[in-house]
Amino acid sequence: MSLVRLNIKGISYSQTQNGAYALILNEVDGDRKLPIVIGAFEAQSIAIALEKEITPPRPLTHDLFKNFADRFDIVIKQVIIHKLVDGVFYSSLVCERDKIEEIIDTRTSDAIALALRFKAPIFTYKNILDKAGIFLKVDLDEEEHDEDSILIDGVLNEDIDISATTEDDYKSYSLGDLQNLLTEAVNNEDYEKAAKLRDEISKR
């Protein structure tokens, strides 16, 4: 089966349904998108890896895994989303140490969080993309979903941001106040708030 490379389009979350996040993967040489519902912790971990300006004061779980792997010369070469069963995606980490390759089963959300930290490519099989990746629409409010599950069919009609930001949240704050709030949010490990503050600072 042929592999198709994917890039991360972004992460979206529902304002009305707590804990519902959609990770959007985009076909590199095509227009199809693969949405995967993930947990809040994994969504934050992926967002932090994407946002170079936000550095956690202490390593998150995926950062710890990266530090551990580096210490013992383990490299993640690639991530493969290899199976879709009953709406749930299954993934593998292709690792290498001392020129010996190992394949480790993992949740898709964890695999992608690690792929970002190792700068490893993300792939899926063509038949999975054919089955689940035909122009999907982000609609997190319709029903509950399991982590790492497929979202719904439809058309992706807008770009997905790393974090959904309320326009008027921080408009009344000065740039200095925003910088102080950003530092405080990072120190408190409130990375969702930090991402919103970073967006507002970037606009200024």
Side-chain angles (χ1 to χ4, degrees):
M1 289 183 287
S2 61
L3 288 171
V4 179
R5 186 163 180 175
L6 303 170
N7 283 335
I8 297 174
K9 176 75 171 176
I11 301 171
S12 177
Y13 67 88
S14 170
Q15 298 283 356
T16 59
Q17 187 181 6
N18 291 334
Y21 289 78
L23 171 67
I24 310 299
L25 301 177
N26 192 74
E27 183 182 14
V28 170
D29 296 320
D31 297 322
R32 290 177 294 183
K33 295 169 179 64
L34 197 65
I36 302 171
V37 174
I38 63 176
F41 171 78
E42 291 78 11
Q44 284 192 352
S45 181
I46 291 168
I48 288 167
L50 289 168
E51 295 298 331
K52 305 304 182 186
E53 297 175 17
I54 300 176
T55 303
R58 296 177 297 170
L60 301 178
T61 302
H62 297 111
D63 299 318
L64 175 61
F65 185 101
K66 174 66 163 61
N67 294 339
F68 179 89
D70 288 345
R71 183 65 60 89
F72 292 96
D73 296 321
I74 300 168
V75 177
I76 294 178
K77 296 179 63 180
Q78 61 184 8
V79 164
I80 301 176
I81 303 171
H82 63 85
K83 188 166 64 173
L84 174 60
V85 178
D86 295 329
V88 178
F89 293 96
Y90 294 80
S91 294
S92 296
L93 299 175
V94 180
C95 306
E96 185 178 85
R97 181 172 183 263
D98 295 333
K99 297 183 179 179
I100 298 173
E101 194 171 275
E102 299 283 351
I103 298 176
I104 301 173
D105 183 46
T106 179
R107 295 188 307 167
T108 300
S109 52
D110 290 328
I112 291 171
L114 291 171
L116 284 168
R117 286 161 171 81
F118 283 88
K119 296 180 173 56
I122 303 165
F123 295 95
T124 191
Y125 289 110
K126 183 178 180 298
N127 65 323
I128 293 177
L129 199 56
D130 290 342
K131 181 178 180 181
I134 304 176
F135 302 107
L136 301 177
K137 177 183 178 182
V138 175
D139 192 348
L140 296 173
D141 298 331
E142 291 199 356
E143 58 180 314
E144 295 275 341
H145 297 279
D146 293 330
E147 287 186 15
D148 296 350
S149 64
I150 186 173
L151 207 54
I152 58 171
D153 291 334
V155 178
L156 183 69
N157 50 24
E158 60 182 0
D159 288 343
I160 305 300
D161 294 327
I162 297 304
S163 60
T165 306
T166 304
E167 288 287 332
D168 299 323
D169 276 355
Y170 302 110
K171 282 190 174 180
S172 61
Y173 289 83
S174 70
L175 192 57
D177 289 337
L178 291 173
Q179 293 284 4
N180 291 335
L181 286 170
L182 176 60
T183 300
E184 181 183 345
V186 171
N187 288 336
N188 292 333
E189 301 185 13
D190 186 351
Y191 303 118
E192 195 170 292
K193 181 178 179 181
K196 292 182 181 181
L197 287 162
R198 184 264 310 147
D199 287 344
E200 184 62 29
I201 291 169
S202 297
K203 290 178 186 176
R204 304 289 180 92

